[in-house]
Amino acid sequence: MSKRSMSLALAVAFCLTASLTACQDQRNEFNPVNVLCPGDFDPVTNKCKISTGSEPE
C-alpha cells in the first residue's frame, strides 16, 4: 500500500467516525422518551425520572 492510499484510508475512517458520532448525538437528542419526559431524563437507562418530592423508604 502506498503512502497516498494509506492517508486516504485514514481520512475516510476519520470522516466516517465523525459522521457516526454526530448521528448518535442527534439520535439521543430526538429520543421520544427524552422529548416527552416532563422530569429528568437518564440517557444511560433511557428512563424518565420524575421527582415526587419525597424519598422512598
Side-chain angles (χ1 to χ4, degrees), residues 26-41:
Q26 184 178 9
R27 189 194 85 186
N28 288 340
E29 188 65 32
F30 294 108
N31 183 338
V33 177
N34 186 6
V35 171
L36 298 174
C37 178
D40 294 325
F41 177 71

Side-chain angles (χ1 to χ4, degrees), residues 6-55:
M6 292 258 291
S7 63
L8 180 61
L10 183 61
V12 168
F14 177 75
C15 290
L16 182 62
T17 302
S19 296
L20 289 176
T21 302
C23 289
Q24 180 69 23
D25 290 342
Q26 184 178 9
R27 189 194 85 186
N28 288 340
E29 188 65 32
F30 294 108
N31 183 338
V33 177
N34 186 6
V35 171
L36 298 174
C37 178
D40 294 325
F41 177 71
D42 183 12
V44 175
T45 60
N46 197 32
K47 293 185 179 178
C48 183
K49 295 181 180 182
I50 300 172
S51 178
T52 58
S54 64
E55 293 292 322

